[in-house]
Amino acid sequence: MTHGYTTGTGTSPEPAGPYGTPYAGDAGTVPGTSYTVPRQRTTEPAPAPAPEKPGRDRYLDLLRSIALVRVVIYHLFGWAWLSVLFPSMGVMFALAGSLMARSLKRPAWSVIRGRVRRLLPPMWAFAAVVLALLFVGDWSPSKDPDQDGVWGLINLVNYLVPIGAPPYPVDAGVLGPLESTWADETVGPLWYLRAYLWFVIASPLLLWLFRRAPWPTMLAPLGLTAIVGTGLVTIPGELGNAVTDFAVYGGCWVLGFAHHDGMLKQIPRYVTVSCASLVMAFGLWWASGHLGPSGWDLNDIPLADAAWSFGFVVILLQYSPSWRELPGRLANWDKLVTLSNNRAVTIYLWHNMMIMATFPIIDLLYRLPFMQSERATAALDSTYTIWTFALVWPLIGLMILAVGWVEDLGAKRKPRLWPNGSKSERPRASSGAHRG
């Protein structure tokens, strides 16, 4: 969940001298002599074109913002069809892969170190709150029967570096206004950070393979998903989950490489769209025969998720217009798009906890005097999720103010409370380290 600036490549040429090169008609004859002298130019040489200013690809920024909003809505309402309407995880991994390919023009180790440095501080702030709540609730990883004794303590390292899954109790018990499943709801989405870290570490090798054998590298994750995501080969435990996630979204990550290198633009649009549609159709066909308890939720059907996300991302990137500014009415959303991109990790980490925080707040409405009638109670019951949707965004905003600045520390920037691209923020953004 990283965000990059597109660095300009223009350079200023060496300035011309004060005199131009003489050519026919520029020489004048000095009276009484037989030689000529060059005539001095009366105009200054044309200035060199200014180098292109660094900027962001606002189309990619818009896609990332839509993906984040879709993730929040999915976790709030649980609508399975959202995984078909917009496969957010595949889109986010593709965008990250494109930015990673651009960054790997620099030494690989420095790029990986920079990515990890930007990821870990926000996670540490999140882990500090979660672990404090777990320990206050009298949870001990070494005594948790699901954590296999001392391995529970060792697995705590995943709260520091998400190589695997951090331990937590599935039933954490009621803690104040939080329900007993709060730990599962809060910590469960950390799989995304684990998968992202795996891709970051593997990217130098993946990019090397892609530039030598693009099609096999791009399609190999789909083949791997057909093996490990269908039960043909079963890898037990958390390692199996990690390998499956890597396979499902690996194709999207490599598609980000293809987008950066311009490979998709070299293929006729009708070819890419037709092939992508066939892959997506296969994904839906496979899902129709392997529906899980949530129906058409592709998140529960790895091969269908991989195929649908792959084809969907191909079409999105094939039509990529590379906006420097959001056009038309989309410009009205510019500040929110900028804010969500600058605080993507914070939004993803905290959104589930903020969803749960809305429940006790809305429950206070039942205590109001005018809410004591059955009609008023029924009205609130029927609109409960709408109130939750309306309330969660201000709570996410509060978390951006409270801990979002940690992302700036990880990026070695001056901390900012509300980096939405306003005039007061632009000088800092232009002088700070660019993500990449």
Side-chain angles (χ1 to χ4, degrees), residues 287-305:
S288 66
H290 300 81
L291 298 180
S294 300
W296 283 87
D297 193 334
L298 301 186
N299 295 306
D300 299 332
I301 314 171
L303 184 57
D305 192 12

Side-chain angles (χ1 to χ4, degrees), residues 307-365:
W308 181 262
S309 298
F310 186 92
F312 197 95
V313 166
V314 166
I315 295 175
L316 285 181
L317 296 183
Q318 175 68 24
Y319 282 88
S320 177
S322 297
W323 294 325
R324 288 296 183 179
E325 296 179 357
L326 294 177
R329 294 183 179 180
L330 289 175
N332 297 327
W333 300 91
D334 183 82
K335 290 185 177 180
L336 288 178
V337 169
T338 301
L339 177 67
S340 63
N341 276 266
N342 284 328
R343 293 293 179 259
V345 177
T346 299
I347 294 171
Y348 186 84
L349 282 172
W350 293 94
H351 76 275
N352 253 17
M353 184 177 286
M354 294 304 100
I355 289 175
M356 288 182 291
T358 64
F359 303 151
I361 296 175
I362 297 175
D363 288 346
L364 294 176
L365 296 177

Side-chain angles (χ1 to χ4, degrees), residues 96 114 129 151 161 235 240 272 277 310 391:
V129 173
W151 282 107
V161 182
I235 303 176
T272 55
S277 299
F310 186 92
L391 185 57

Side-chain angles (χ1 to χ4, degrees), residues 157-218:
V157 74
N158 288 305
Y159 280 104
L160 301 177
V161 182
I163 297 297
Y168 62 89
V170 176
D171 187 351
V174 177
L175 184 62
L178 298 178
E179 298 180 358
S180 61
T181 59
W182 71 266
D184 186 37
E185 297 290 339
T186 301
V187 183
L190 291 184
W191 72 266
Y192 172 77
L193 274 68
R194 177 205 64 208
Y196 174 81
L197 184 59
W198 277 45
F199 281 126
V200 166
I201 295 173
S203 281
L205 176 60
L206 287 176
L207 186 59
W208 183 87
L209 291 172
F210 169 76
R211 288 176 175 168
R212 284 154 181 80
W215 289 106
T217 306
M218 194 183 306

Side-chain angles (χ1 to χ4, degrees), residues 42-244:
T42 58
T43 58
E44 294 294 330
E52 184 182 357
K53 295 181 179 180
R56 298 186 67 128
D57 189 330
R58 301 302 280 168
Y59 175 72
L60 300 186
D61 285 351
L62 178 64
L63 290 182
R64 186 178 293 106
S65 298
I66 294 173
L68 283 170
V69 171
R70 206 284 281 161
V71 167
V72 176
I73 295 175
Y74 172 81
H75 286 153
L76 175 60
F77 294 102
W79 293 331
W81 52 267
L82 284 174
S83 63
V84 178
L85 179 66
F86 194 88
S88 287
M89 294 296 101
V91 172
M92 292 172 70
F93 281 120
L95 301 181
S98 178
L99 297 174
M100 191 68 184
R102 190 207 66 188
S103 298
L104 283 172
K105 296 175 182 177
R106 307 195 308 270
W109 171 244
S110 67
V111 174
I112 294 175
R113 183 178 58 190
R115 283 289 195 273
V116 172
R117 187 185 65 240
R118 293 181 177 105
L119 176 68
L120 295 186
M123 181 175 176
W124 293 340
F126 175 80
V129 173
V130 170
L131 288 176
L133 292 175
L134 287 174
F135 293 148
V136 167
D138 200 29
W139 173 70
S140 173
S142 61
K143 298 179 182 179
D144 190 331
D146 296 328
Q147 300 303 324
D148 195 19
V150 70
W151 282 107
L153 291 172
I154 296 175
N155 284 335
L156 286 176
V157 74
N158 288 305
Y159 280 104
L160 301 177
V161 182
I163 297 297
Y168 62 89
V170 176
D171 187 351
V174 177
L175 184 62
L178 298 178
E179 298 180 358
S180 61
T181 59
W182 71 266
D184 186 37
E185 297 290 339
T186 301
V187 183
L190 291 184
W191 72 266
Y192 172 77
L193 274 68
R194 177 205 64 208
Y196 174 81
L197 184 59
W198 277 45
F199 281 126
V200 166
I201 295 173
S203 281
L205 176 60
L206 287 176
L207 186 59
W208 183 87
L209 291 172
F210 169 76
R211 288 176 175 168
R212 284 154 181 80
W215 289 106
T217 306
M218 194 183 306
L219 298 176
L222 292 176
L224 181 60
T225 305
I227 296 174
V228 301
T230 61
L232 186 63
V233 173
T234 302
I235 303 176
E238 182 57 28
L239 178 61
N241 294 332
V243 171
T244 300

Side-chain angles (χ1 to χ4, degrees), residues 24 27 35 44 52 107 112 114 132 191 193-194 252 263 273 297 327 336 352 361 370 372 382 384 395 406-407 417 422:
Y35 61 89
E44 294 294 330
E52 184 182 357
I112 294 175
W191 72 266
L193 274 68
R194 177 205 64 208
C252 294
M263 174 182 170
V273 173
D297 193 334
L336 288 178
N352 253 17
I361 296 175
F370 59 84
Q372 301 310 308
S382 61
Y384 199 96
L395 293 180
V406 178
E407 290 195 54
L417 289 179
S422 60

